[in-house]
């Protein structure tokens, strides 16, 4: 079936499982650890970003000075 624009509809496009697996790789379970792990510096940035006064001040004087003022 084609839509009015002349291109096939998404429902009519099918590919074999083997072809799909060639470019769609499953993630290994061991790599999930790295997705959930955040460095201490990233955690500090998120803490400052979630506190509006710190986030605003970090734009003015820099992250490290703003973080130390509120959480230091």
């Amino acid at each position: 079936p084609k839509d009015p624009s002349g291109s096939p509809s998404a429902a009519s496009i099918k590919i074999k499982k083997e072809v799909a697996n060639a470019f769609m790789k499953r993630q290994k379970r061991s790599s999930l650890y790295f997705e959930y792990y955040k460095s201490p510096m990233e955690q500090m940035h998120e803490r400052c970003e979630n506190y509006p006064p710190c986030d605003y001040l970090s734009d003015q004087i820099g992250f490290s000075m703003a973080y130390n003022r509120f959480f230091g």
Side-chain angles (χ1 to χ4, degrees), residues 1-14:
K2 291 189 174 189
D3 63 9
S5 67
S7 62
S9 68
S12 68
I13 299 174
K14 297 193 190 266

Side-chain angles (χ1 to χ4, degrees), residues 4-63:
S5 67
S7 62
S9 68
S12 68
I13 299 174
K14 297 193 190 266
I15 59 175
K16 292 181 180 180
K17 184 178 179 180
E18 294 80 20
V19 175
N21 286 338
F23 62 91
M24 296 296 292
K25 299 288 183 188
R26 270 181 66 184
Q27 290 183 341
K28 296 179 181 177
R29 291 183 188 266
S30 62
S31 68
L32 293 176
Y33 169 76
F34 295 106
E35 292 177 20
Y36 294 118
Y37 176 75
K38 293 182 181 173
S39 69
M41 184 59 76
E42 187 176 356
Q43 292 173 358
M44 291 168 58
H45 273 278
E46 287 185 356
R47 186 175 182 193
C48 187
E49 288 172 356
N50 291 333
Y51 186 58
C54 183
D55 189 34
Y56 175 78
L57 193 60
S58 70
D59 291 337
Q60 308 300 316
I61 63 173
F63 165 74

